[in-house]
Amino acid sequence: DAKTTQPTSMDCAEGRAANLPCNHSTISGNEYVYWYRQIHSQGPQYIIHGLKNNETNEMASLIITEDRKSSTLILPHATLRDTAVYYCIVRRSGGGADGLTFGKGTHLIIQP
Amino acid sequence: DAGVIQSPRHEVTEMGQEVTLRCKPISGHNSLFWYRQTMMRGLELLIYFNNNVPIDDSGMPEDRFSAKMPNASFSTLKIQPSEPRDSAVYFCASSPLLGSGDHNEQFFGPGTRLTVL
């Protein structure tokens, strides 16, 4: 699976959009971009995934650049409960039955 | 749905003792994963099972660690003998086993915090 690079930490004001970047310059054509987050003292939680098109669900939006070498996770209206470590993970299609390889992630702190 | 259930939630033991961590996956899920999280190494995959069969145990740190899945609703991770460096939070996760190209989300349990003195 391709390696990802994320900023170590970010701050965002409550109510504003939180934009979390991820670089995955070695991603290959059959690899998806997944985002998970881990709130303090809890297990990781799936947020969203995509291949090349932008995706949106009830939690977030995922913007993938045309060359697929980077992506941005957007939390449109951040709340204090969104404070967590966010992991960007690249994994191959059909990798549904494989384990996840977590990096260090981005510690997002939502400020009141 | 109760989600993934792990027990115990906290375990404190002395070096040299045997430790058994337990996991009940979500009903209907036939992939099960064991992860370990420490400050130094972050989240690491230890082993995973598909249809109760171990597929990849390359993440198991050493022979002191073993995992079993005797049936679709139960798995154990055993450490014998335990050492202080095994202190970590151990997560179990489950997911449906789908075909190639299908997305499957992993659902994580609350974790077991293990402290080895």
Side-chain angles (χ1 to χ4, degrees):
Chain A
D1 291 342
K3 184 176 178 179
T4 62
T5 303
Q6 300 178 251
T8 301
S9 65
M10 295 181 62
D11 287 351
C12 178
E14 187 178 18
R16 304 296 295 269
N19 297 275
L20 292 90
C22 179
N23 286 323
H24 31 79
S25 58
T26 60
I27 193 170
S28 57
N30 65 347
E31 290 180 318
Y32 286 75
V33 179
Y34 280 74
W35 284 83
Y36 278 73
R37 75 178 182 183
Q38 186 175 22
I39 295 171
H40 183 61
S41 297
Q42 297 182 22
Q45 174 193 24
Y46 165 83
I47 301 173
I48 198 168
H49 78 287
L51 182 62
K52 53 184 177 181
N53 298 321
N54 298 337
E55 303 288 344
T56 296
N57 62 20
E58 65 278 3
M59 291 183 67
S61 295
L62 174 60
I63 309 297
I64 303 174
T65 58
E66 191 169 345
D67 63 7
R68 302 208 323 122
K69 293 184 177 182
S70 65
S71 59
T72 301
L73 178 74
I74 301 172
L75 307 179
H77 305 286
T79 70
L80 298 178
R81 289 174 296 179
D82 292 322
T83 291
V85 178
Y86 287 77
Y87 297 98
C88 171
I89 299 168
V90 172
R91 62 194 300 222
R92 63 181 176 86
S93 63
D98 294 343
L100 297 169
T101 301
F102 290 86
K104 297 185 183 301
T106 295
H107 187 194
L108 175 67
I109 300 172
I110 306 301
Q111 305 281 2
Chain B
D1 194 337
V4 175
I5 299 172
Q6 292 187 246
S7 65
R9 293 293 310 277
H10 302 272
E11 176 80 25
V12 180
T13 190
E14 292 188 345
M15 182 174 62
Q17 296 298 305
E18 175 181 305
V19 175
T20 300
L21 310 182
R22 297 173 175 79
C23 176
K24 178 179 170 55
I26 292 172
S27 178
H29 285 188
N30 38 20
S31 289
L32 184 139
F33 308 82
W34 283 100
Y35 293 86
R36 177 174 69 174
Q37 186 170 33
T38 61
M39 289 293 292
M40 291 296 294
R41 300 176 66 87
L43 268 162
E44 304 174 282
L45 174 69
L46 299 178
I47 186 172
Y48 73 93
F49 298 81
N50 288 341
N51 292 322
N52 312 338
V53 176
I55 302 301
D56 184 357
D57 65 354
S58 60
M60 297 285 263
E62 48 197 274
D63 292 344
R64 297 184 298 106
F65 286 69
S66 63
K68 294 183 179 180
M69 192 164 186
N71 57 62
S73 59
F74 184 65
S75 177
T76 60
L77 178 67
K78 183 180 293 185
I79 308 172
Q80 180 184 21
S82 59
E83 296 183 2
R85 59 189 167 132
D86 302 331
S87 297
V89 180
Y90 291 80
F91 290 103
C92 176
S94 71
S95 70
L97 176 58
L98 303 176
S100 175
D102 289 324
H103 155 68
N104 77 336
E105 171 186 348
Q106 289 189 19
F107 295 80
F108 284 76
T112 294
R113 182 173 294 277
L114 173 66
T115 302
V116 183
L117 303 175

